Amino acid sequence: MMDAYTLPIVFVGLMGLAILVYAILDGYDLGVGILLPLGDQHSDERDRMIASIGPFWDANETWLVLAVGLLLIAFPLAHSEILHHFYLPVAVMLIALILRGVAFDFRAKAAIAHQSLWDRCFKFGSLLTALSQGYMLGLYIVGFSYDIKSQLFAVLSATGVCAAYSYIGAAWLLYKTQGQLQQQARRWARLAGRFCLAGVLLVSLTNPLVNQDVFQRWFDFPEALYMLPVPLLCFALFAYNEKLLRNKTVLADSHCWRPLLSCALIFLLCFSGIAYSFFPYIVPGKLDIWQAASAPESLRFILYGAVVVVPCILLYTVYAYWVFRGKASDLKYY
């Protein structure tokens, strides 16, 4: 039986897993939405891009629901504190997600003359979702400070998350599409990758400056030496992806999955860096996971449900991606 010390670690690990998987899976479909080209001449490309995420995008959001649910039931004090600062950006994000869902369905039911309007709504909803999530991440990192420097950092974080989603979205299109669209995805991936790299660099340099505790975590010896491989591997993956994308052989089926895997690993390394910067605090500088956790008896009871639910979601996700593997087919609505 797990004790009161171990249970919060288990639940924060499950919540971290849900957030990471959400960032990768919903990140690519938000990125596809952000990259959606406008104009009547691109209608076929938009259809194929939306077809590439059609079987997955709605289910990808399950991981966000799981993460917020775990925060609420396992760390209620943290949920109250975080949502107190995030009411407005969360409301914006939810409106944007609803707009995406409505636009996805209505683009098929509207008259041909109005279809481009719903495509614009899908693109705007994707962009607004990414920006709001990035803004919340930046606000969380600075400890919910509202001075001008913190707000500028939150805006920088919002831009960086938008670039990161575009990067993995372009890599997804490179993997799932063919022909002219796949070639265009390669160009998008190169451009978005450079913006994403710039964002990671700026956030990595700025974060220790706005947070003294983070500075000590990353620059105190010998601990700094243990974490040095994380940024080195991250930047090595950016360089590896750039090399891949320069070569047109990346369009071949035997290579087109590599940029997507590299992007997922970059997300993993960046998430690991953030987790290392703040653990064991779940509200930076205010509440650690033991202070914010529910009673041990409650956590033990909840754990039985988590042991069932989380593997089921994982198995369903793997099954869905296996069934719809391969290149995207023509868009169909049922």
Side-chain angles (χ1 to χ4, degrees), residues 83 86-98 128 132 136:
L83 265 294
F86 282 172
Y87 278 130
L88 182 58
V90 165
V92 171
M93 182 187 72
L94 292 176
I95 291 170
L97 288 172
I98 292 169
L128 192 58
S132 60
M136 286 187 283

Side-chain angles (χ1 to χ4, degrees), residues 1-333:
M1 187 66 68
M2 294 186 183
D3 57 24
Y5 179 84
T6 306
L7 282 166
I9 297 175
V10 171
F11 274 95
V12 81
L14 289 174
M15 191 174 71
L17 173 66
I19 293 172
L20 174 61
V21 176
Y22 170 79
I24 293 172
L25 298 186
D26 207 40
Y28 79 70
D29 70 58
L30 287 168
V32 170
I34 293 169
L35 295 171
L36 212 65
L38 301 178
D40 293 338
Q41 69 274 23
H42 298 297
S43 60
D44 290 340
E45 290 182 0
R46 291 198 298 271
D47 282 348
R48 186 54 60 89
M49 290 171 70
I50 292 177
S52 74
I53 63 173
F56 314 108
W57 74 276
D58 204 16
N60 290 342
E61 294 172 1
T62 303
W63 294 98
L64 178 61
V65 176
L66 177 63
V68 175
L70 287 171
L71 178 65
L72 173 62
I73 61 178
F75 305 101
L77 292 179
H79 179 273
S80 176
E81 179 71 22
I82 292 171
L83 265 294
H84 170 72
H85 296 280
F86 282 172
Y87 278 130
L88 182 58
V90 165
V92 171
M93 182 187 72
L94 292 176
I95 291 170
L97 288 172
I98 292 169
L99 180 62
R100 289 182 82 233
V102 171
F104 183 87
D105 287 332
F106 276 34
R107 71 182 305 276
K109 299 174 175 63
I112 297 297
H114 297 156
Q115 189 181 74
S116 61
L117 170 64
W118 292 110
D119 287 339
R120 289 186 178 90
C121 290
F122 190 82
K123 182 182 181 75
F124 178 72
S126 301
L127 180 61
L128 192 58
T129 300
L131 289 173
S132 60
Q133 289 179 1
Y135 177 80
M136 286 187 283
L137 175 62
L139 202 60
Y140 178 86
I141 288 174
V142 298
F144 308 113
S145 175
Y146 292 93
D147 58 55
I148 186 63
K149 292 182 180 178
S150 299
Q151 290 300 302
L152 288 174
F153 179 82
V155 171
L156 172 64
S157 174
T159 307
V161 168
C162 188
Y165 285 173
S166 299
Y167 190 29
I168 197 169
W172 172 260
L173 291 173
L174 187 68
Y175 169 63
K176 292 293 287 185
T177 62
Q178 295 174 311
Q180 184 63 34
L181 179 56
Q182 190 186 38
Q183 296 178 27
Q184 179 62 44
R186 183 172 73 96
R187 291 189 287 270
W188 283 335
R190 292 189 66 186
L191 181 61
R194 292 164 187 173
F195 278 104
C196 184
L197 174 60
V200 170
L201 281 171
L202 288 172
V203 170
S204 298
L205 293 173
T206 307
N207 188 14
L209 298 179
V210 300
N211 194 316
Q212 188 62 32
D213 292 336
V214 174
F215 182 89
Q216 293 177 352
R217 285 277 180 104
W218 283 95
F219 292 99
D220 281 356
F221 289 91
E223 290 83 359
L225 295 177
Y226 302 148
M227 292 302 294
L228 185 60
V230 172
L232 292 180
L233 283 173
C234 185
F235 297 132
L237 284 168
F238 273 111
Y240 173 71
N241 245 8
E242 177 65 18
K243 182 179 179 181
L244 277 176
L245 294 168
R246 283 179 183 174
N247 195 331
K248 290 186 177 181
T249 58
V250 75
L251 302 176
D253 289 349
S254 58
H255 298 286
C256 64
W257 56 271
R258 295 184 180 182
L260 181 61
L261 177 60
S262 297
C263 288
L265 291 174
I266 289 170
F267 274 51
L268 172 61
L269 291 170
C270 290
F271 182 83
S272 300
I274 294 173
Y276 173 75
S277 297
F278 294 103
F279 185 82
Y281 284 96
I282 193 167
V283 179
K286 294 182 180 180
L287 287 173
D288 62 34
I289 59 174
W290 296 282
Q291 293 170 326
S294 298
E297 295 79 9
S298 299
L299 291 179
R300 291 190 188 99
F301 179 78
I302 297 166
L303 186 60
Y304 291 118
V307 168
V308 175
V309 171
V310 174
C312 286
I313 297 175
L314 280 170
L315 288 173
Y316 168 77
T317 300
V318 172
Y319 177 73
Y321 279 85
W322 173 257
V323 169
F324 295 102
R325 66 190 181 278
K327 299 296 182 180
S329 57
D330 292 336
L331 182 62
K332 295 179 182 178
Y333 290 85

